Amino acid sequence: MAVLPGLADSHIHLDKTLWGLPFEAHARGGTVAERIALERARRPALPPVYGRGMALARHIAALGTTRVRSHVDIDTQSGLSGLHDLLRLREALRDLLDIEIVAFPQSGILRDPGTAALMDAALREGADLVGGLDPAGIDGDPAAHLDIVFGLAARHGKGIDIHLHDPGAQGLAELEEIALRTVDGPLAAPAPQRRWHIPVAFGGNHGPQLAEVAELAGTREEEAVRQICAAELRVLAIGFAPGQPYIGLLPERWNFPRMSALNPEVPAGALTIAVRQIVMFTAASPTGWRQVGRAAFRNFLPGREPPVPLRAGDAIRYVPVSADEYETLAAAEDGLGGATLEVLG
């Protein structure tokens, strides 16, 4: 018998499902706007969201899904009724399914006046993320649409989930604008609840490319180590390999690319750097990232509880140690390599 983690569905619309209802022939719409209009016309005849959503949620849970991100339409036709039904559904299934809710302005924000106020209310009443849709194709004004979406996110401290179908140069321009607003805009990560202090041996055999990285960052090796250890770092994501954390962001001068050729192999615990981020490898691997140090900390050990101690959002503070100290820390059976966890207020 194998015990595997539950499945996650990161894009579902529990409020739109027809699961369990009599068959309906597909109604064709030539454009996104036409398909939205067809959905709005059909919506009043459908049973409430709660029952339809519950049927689909139970079905996917039975197939192994344990986490979903569900959008729910927020507009002047249905108001907050769909949201209220999904909030009830989430509470009813809280022991079965983790449901994250996106307040989704499918009919547009500008072209459906009053929606912005409803979105604001939805976020106050329990929606987890701010949705958006085709700033040019639906609302006809990308800047104004994104002003509202990012403004709501900043006001409520929420994340953003935007559907983007606008094609070609327009879609690329919107992606660039969304990226710029994400990096430079008013959104701030929630304050970390935990901070890890992780010992690292920098340079030498444990960091063979420290000198190269220091040169790319325009500084000396000792100063490069100081900047890495002084940076306010967070776990941005965990993935690619089991338990492997992506950590950032380093100062702007550290925004240099990966190598054009691969490192044939870096060892488990290798601290590698590119594009203002640090990857701390959980297993030996080839990589295009430059190795500056090595930690005895292992973020994935299947027999340990928990097997992956770091969480997305955790703060990280690196502590420099000597090569001899590294060897001592690496001998610890817990795989933590001398790392300590600080619980923040």
Side-chain angles (χ1 to χ4, degrees):
M1 174 183 290
V3 179
L4 301 174
L7 302 174
D9 189 331
S10 60
H11 187 154
I12 195 169
H13 292 257
L14 291 173
D15 65 324
K16 298 184 188 303
T17 183
L18 304 179
W19 185 263
L21 299 182
F23 172 78
E24 288 191 25
H26 174 63
R28 180 179 176 80
T31 66
V32 173
E34 288 172 355
R35 292 193 290 276
I36 291 171
L38 287 169
E39 280 193 7
R40 282 177 66 108
R42 182 181 60 183
R43 184 191 292 162
L46 293 175
V49 167
Y50 182 83
R52 291 185 288 116
M54 179 66 78
L56 180 58
R58 288 191 174 280
H59 176 71
I60 62 176
L63 296 176
T65 298
T66 58
R67 180 179 177 84
V68 302
R69 174 177 288 187
S70 177
H71 297 69
V72 60
D73 286 1
I74 304 294
D75 57 37
T76 56
Q77 181 191 56
S78 58
L80 301 182
S81 62
L83 171 70
H84 293 157
D85 276 5
L86 278 196
L87 290 172
R88 287 175 52 219
L89 191 158
R90 177 164 69 182
E91 177 62 22
L93 298 181
R94 64 180 181 177
D95 295 329
L96 184 66
L97 199 58
D98 183 6
I99 301 176
E100 193 175 40
I101 299 175
V102 182
F104 182 48
Q106 179 173 269
S107 296
I109 300 175
L110 305 175
R111 74 196 295 259
D112 187 17
T115 296
L118 288 168
M119 293 276 289
D120 186 68
L123 294 163
R124 288 197 308 271
E125 295 189 26
D128 302 295
L129 296 108
V130 186
L133 175 71
D134 293 353
I138 296 298
D139 267 343
D141 190 335
H145 180 98
L146 293 175
D147 282 347
I148 294 171
V149 169
F150 277 78
L152 287 169
R155 186 180 313 149
H156 293 276
K158 304 289 189 180
I160 291 173
D161 186 316
I162 297 179
H163 283 49
L164 190 60
H165 312 99
D166 290 335
Q170 178 63 60
L172 289 174
E174 290 169 351
L175 282 173
E176 182 176 9
E177 179 63 21
I178 290 167
L180 289 172
R181 286 174 182 249
T182 300
V183 172
D184 300 326
L187 293 182
Q193 300 300 304
R194 314 188 315 165
R195 178 182 289 117
W196 287 89
H197 300 262
I198 302 177
V200 174
F202 288 96
N205 291 334
H206 294 311
Q209 292 166 296
L210 176 61
E212 182 181 348
V213 165
E215 184 177 356
L216 288 169
T219 190
R220 296 173 291 106
E221 291 182 44
E222 297 81 0
E223 177 60 16
V225 171
R226 190 199 67 77
Q227 290 183 20
I228 293 168
C229 294
E232 294 296 329
L233 300 172
R234 302 283 290 274
V235 178
L236 305 176
I238 295 176
F240 180 76
Q244 184 160 295
Y246 287 72
I247 296 165
L249 291 169
L250 290 163
E252 181 60 38
R253 66 169 57 189
W254 294 79
N255 192 22
F256 47 79
R258 293 176 296 177
M259 300 185 300
S260 56
L262 286 178
N263 256 333
E265 183 175 275
V266 297
L271 210 73
T272 65
I273 293 181
V275 291
R276 298 182 64 190
Q277 296 179 60
I278 294 169
V279 174
M280 194 159 54
F281 278 79
T282 54
S285 174
T287 181
W289 297 54
R290 295 171 174 88
Q291 183 182 350
V292 300
R294 189 178 184 189
F297 178 83
R298 299 291 179 265
N299 197 43
F300 177 63
L301 288 178
R304 181 179 58 197
E305 183 56 41
V308 179
L310 294 185
R311 302 174 191 165
D314 281 353
I316 300 293
R317 185 67 54 81
Y318 289 115
V319 180
V321 296
S322 69
D324 289 341
E325 288 174 305
Y326 168 85
E327 297 300 332
T328 300
L329 295 170
E333 294 183 358
D334 61 8
L336 294 179
T340 58
L341 175 62
E342 176 188 3
V343 178
L344 304 177

Coordinates of all heavy atoms in Angstrom, one line a residue, residues 9-17 49 53 56-57 60 67-73 82-83 86 89-90 97-104 127-129 161 163:
D9 N -6.6 20.9 -6.9 CA -7.1 21.4 -8.2 C -7.1 23.0 -8.0 O -7.8 23.5 -7.2 CB -8.6 21.0 -8.4 CG -9.1 21.4 -9.7 OD1 -8.7 22.4 -10.3 OD2 -10.0 20.7 -10.2
S10 N -6.1 23.6 -8.7 CA -5.9 25.0 -8.5 C -6.8 25.9 -9.4 O -6.7 27.1 -9.3 CB -4.4 25.4 -8.8 OG -4.1 25.0 -10.1
H11 N -7.7 25.3 -10.1 CA -8.6 26.1 -10.9 C -9.9 25.4 -11.2 O -10.0 24.5 -12.0 CB -8.0 26.5 -12.3 CG -8.8 27.4 -13.1 ND1 -8.2 28.3 -14.1 CD2 -10.1 27.7 -13.1 CE1 -9.1 29.0 -14.6 NE2 -10.3 28.7 -14.1
I12 N -10.9 25.7 -10.4 CA -12.2 25.1 -10.5 C -13.3 26.2 -10.3 O -13.0 27.2 -9.6 CB -12.4 23.9 -9.5 CG1 -13.6 23.0 -9.9 CG2 -12.4 24.4 -8.1 CD1 -13.6 21.7 -9.1
H13 N -14.5 26.0 -10.8 CA -15.6 26.9 -10.6 C -16.7 26.2 -10.0 O -17.6 25.7 -10.8 CB -16.0 27.6 -11.9 CG -15.0 28.5 -12.5 ND1 -15.1 29.9 -12.5 CD2 -13.8 28.3 -13.2 CE1 -14.0 30.5 -13.1 NE2 -13.2 29.5 -13.5
L14 N -16.7 26.0 -8.7 CA -17.8 25.2 -8.1 C -19.2 25.9 -8.3 O -20.2 25.2 -8.2 CB -17.5 25.0 -6.6 CG -16.3 24.1 -6.3 CD1 -16.0 24.2 -4.8 CD2 -16.6 22.7 -6.7
D15 N -19.2 27.2 -8.5 CA -20.5 27.9 -8.7 C -21.1 27.7 -10.1 O -22.3 27.9 -10.3 CB -20.4 29.4 -8.4 CG -19.4 30.1 -9.4 OD1 -18.4 29.5 -9.9 OD2 -19.7 31.2 -9.7
K16 N -20.3 27.2 -11.0 CA -20.8 27.0 -12.4 C -21.2 25.6 -12.8 O -21.7 25.4 -13.8 CB -19.7 27.5 -13.4 CG -19.3 29.0 -13.3 CD -18.3 29.3 -14.4 CE -17.7 30.7 -14.2 NZ -18.7 31.7 -14.2
T17 N -20.8 24.7 -11.9 CA -20.9 23.3 -12.3 C -22.4 22.9 -12.6 O -23.3 23.4 -11.9 CB -20.3 22.3 -11.2 OG1 -20.4 21.0 -11.7 CG2 -21.1 22.5 -9.9
V49 N -26.2 27.5 -5.9 CA -24.8 27.1 -6.0 C -24.5 26.1 -5.0 O -23.7 25.1 -5.2 CB -23.9 28.4 -5.8 CG1 -22.4 28.0 -5.6 CG2 -24.0 29.3 -7.1
G53 N -22.5 22.9 -6.2 CA -21.1 22.9 -5.8 C -20.8 21.7 -4.8 O -19.7 21.1 -4.9
L56 N -20.3 18.4 -6.8 CA -19.0 18.3 -7.5 C -17.9 18.1 -6.4 O -16.9 17.4 -6.6 CB -18.8 19.5 -8.4 CG -17.4 19.5 -9.1 CD1 -17.3 18.2 -10.0 CD2 -17.3 20.7 -10.0
A57 N -18.0 18.9 -5.4 CA -16.9 18.9 -4.3 C -16.8 17.5 -3.7 O -15.7 16.9 -3.5 CB -17.2 19.9 -3.3
I60 N -15.1 15.1 -6.4 CA -13.6 15.2 -6.6 C -12.9 14.7 -5.3 O -11.8 14.2 -5.4 CB -13.2 16.6 -7.0 CG1 -13.6 17.6 -5.9 CG2 -13.8 16.9 -8.3 CD1 -13.1 19.0 -6.3
R67 N -7.6 19.6 -1.9 CA -7.4 21.1 -1.8 C -7.9 21.6 -3.2 O -7.5 21.1 -4.2 CB -6.0 21.5 -1.5 CG -5.7 23.0 -1.5 CD -4.3 23.3 -1.2 NE -4.0 24.7 -1.2 CZ -4.3 25.6 -0.2 NH1 -4.8 25.1 0.9 NH2 -4.0 26.9 -0.4
V68 N -8.7 22.7 -3.2 CA -9.1 23.3 -4.4 C -9.0 24.9 -4.3 O -9.2 25.4 -3.2 CB -10.5 22.9 -4.8 CG1 -10.6 21.4 -5.0 CG2 -11.6 23.5 -3.9
R69 N -8.8 25.5 -5.4 CA -9.1 27.0 -5.5 C -10.3 27.2 -6.4 O -10.2 26.9 -7.6 CB -7.8 27.7 -6.1 CG -8.1 29.2 -6.3 CD -6.8 29.9 -6.8 NE -5.9 30.0 -5.7 CZ -4.7 30.8 -5.9 NH1 -4.5 31.4 -7.0 NH2 -3.9 30.9 -4.9
S70 N -11.3 27.7 -5.9 CA -12.6 27.8 -6.6 C -12.9 29.3 -6.8 O -12.9 30.1 -5.9 CB -13.8 27.2 -5.9 OG -15.0 27.4 -6.6
H71 N -13.1 29.7 -8.1 CA -13.6 31.0 -8.4 C -15.1 31.1 -8.1 O -15.8 30.0 -8.2 CB -13.3 31.4 -9.8 CG -11.8 31.4 -10.1 ND1 -11.0 30.3 -10.1 CD2 -11.0 32.4 -10.3 CE1 -9.8 30.6 -10.3 NE2 -9.7 31.9 -10.5
V72 N -15.6 32.2 -7.8 CA -17.1 32.4 -7.7 C -17.4 33.8 -8.3 O -16.7 34.8 -8.0 CB -17.5 32.3 -6.2 CG1 -16.9 33.4 -5.3 CG2 -19.1 32.4 -6.1
D73 N -18.4 33.8 -9.2 CA -18.8 35.0 -9.9 C -19.3 36.1 -8.9 O -20.2 35.8 -8.1 CB -19.8 34.7 -10.9 CG -19.3 34.0 -12.2 OD1 -18.1 33.7 -12.2 OD2 -20.1 33.8 -13.1
G82 N -23.6 33.7 -4.6 CA -22.7 32.5 -4.9 C -21.6 32.4 -3.8 O -21.2 31.3 -3.4
L83 N -21.0 33.6 -3.4 CA -20.0 33.6 -2.4 C -20.6 33.0 -1.1 O -19.9 32.1 -0.4 CB -19.5 35.0 -2.1 CG -18.6 35.1 -0.9 CD1 -17.2 34.4 -1.2 CD2 -18.4 36.6 -0.6
L86 N -20.8 29.3 -1.3 CA -19.5 28.6 -1.2 C -18.9 28.7 0.2 O -18.2 27.8 0.7 CB -18.5 29.2 -2.2 CG -18.6 28.7 -3.6 CD1 -17.3 29.1 -4.4 CD2 -18.8 27.2 -3.7
L89 N -20.6 26.0 2.0 CA -20.1 24.7 1.5 C -18.7 24.4 2.1 O -18.4 23.3 2.6 CB -20.0 24.7 0.0 CG -19.7 23.5 -0.8 CD1 -20.2 23.6 -2.2 CD2 -18.2 23.1 -0.8
R90 N -17.8 25.5 2.2 CA -16.5 25.3 2.7 C -16.6 24.9 4.2 O -15.8 24.0 4.6 CB -15.7 26.6 2.6 CG -14.3 26.5 3.2 CD -13.4 27.6 2.7 NE -13.8 28.9 3.2 CZ -13.2 30.1 2.9 NH1 -12.2 30.0 2.1 NH2 -13.6 31.2 3.4
L97 N -12.2 18.8 2.7 CA -11.6 19.5 1.5 C -11.2 21.0 2.0 O -12.0 21.6 2.7 CB -12.7 19.6 0.4 CG -12.3 19.9 -1.0 CD1 -11.3 18.9 -1.6 CD2 -13.6 20.0 -1.9
D98 N -10.0 21.4 1.6 CA -9.6 22.7 1.8 C -9.9 23.6 0.6 O -9.4 23.4 -0.5 CB -8.1 22.7 2.1 CG -7.5 24.1 2.4 OD1 -8.3 25.0 2.6 OD2 -6.3 24.2 2.5
I99 N -10.9 24.5 0.8 CA -11.4 25.3 -0.3 C -10.9 26.8 -0.2 O -11.2 27.4 0.8 CB -12.9 25.3 -0.4 CG1 -13.4 23.8 -0.6 CG2 -13.4 26.1 -1.6 CD1 -14.9 23.7 -0.6
E100 N -10.2 27.3 -1.2 CA -9.8 28.6 -1.3 C -10.7 29.3 -2.3 O -10.9 28.8 -3.4 CB -8.3 28.7 -1.7 CG -7.6 30.0 -1.6 CD -6.1 29.9 -2.0 OE1 -5.8 29.2 -3.0 OE2 -5.3 30.5 -1.3
I101 N -11.2 30.5 -2.0 CA -12.2 31.2 -2.8 C -11.7 32.4 -3.4 O -11.1 33.3 -2.7 CB -13.4 31.5 -2.0 CG1 -14.0 30.2 -1.4 CG2 -14.5 32.2 -2.8 CD1 -15.2 30.4 -0.4
V102 N -11.9 32.6 -4.7 CA -11.5 33.8 -5.5 C -12.7 34.6 -5.8 O -13.7 34.0 -6.5 CB -10.7 33.4 -6.8 CG1 -10.3 34.7 -7.5 CG2 -9.6 32.5 -6.5
A103 N -12.8 35.8 -5.4 CA -13.9 36.7 -5.8 C -13.6 37.1 -7.3 O -12.7 37.8 -7.6 CB -13.9 37.9 -4.9
F104 N -14.5 36.6 -8.2 CA -14.2 36.6 -9.7 C -15.1 37.5 -10.4 O -16.3 37.2 -10.5 CB -14.2 35.2 -10.2 CG -13.9 35.1 -11.7 CD1 -12.7 35.7 -12.2 CD2 -14.7 34.3 -12.5 CE1 -12.4 35.6 -13.5 CE2 -14.3 34.2 -13.8 CZ -13.2 34.8 -14.3
A127 N -13.9 36.0 1.1 CA -13.1 35.5 -0.1 C -11.6 35.7 0.2 O -11.2 36.6 0.8 CB -13.5 36.4 -1.3
D128 N -10.8 34.7 -0.4 CA -9.4 34.7 -0.1 C -8.5 35.4 -1.1 O -7.4 35.8 -0.7 CB -9.0 33.2 -0.1 CG -9.7 32.4 0.9 OD1 -9.6 32.6 2.1 OD2 -10.5 31.5 0.5
L129 N -9.0 35.6 -2.3 CA -8.2 36.2 -3.3 C -9.0 37.1 -4.2 O -10.3 37.0 -4.3 CB -7.5 35.2 -4.2 CG -6.5 34.3 -3.6 CD1 -7.1 32.9 -3.4 CD2 -5.2 34.2 -4.3
D161 N -5.6 36.5 -8.5 CA -5.7 35.4 -9.4 C -6.4 36.0 -10.7 O -7.7 36.2 -10.6 CB -6.4 34.3 -8.8 CG -6.4 33.0 -9.7 OD1 -6.7 33.2 -10.9 OD2 -6.2 31.9 -9.2
H163 N -7.6 35.8 -14.6 CA -7.8 35.0 -15.9 C -7.4 36.0 -17.0 O -7.9 37.1 -17.1 CB -9.3 34.7 -16.1 CG -9.8 33.6 -15.3 ND1 -9.6 33.4 -14.0 CD2 -10.6 32.5 -15.7 CE1 -10.2 32.3 -13.5 NE2 -10.8 31.8 -14.6

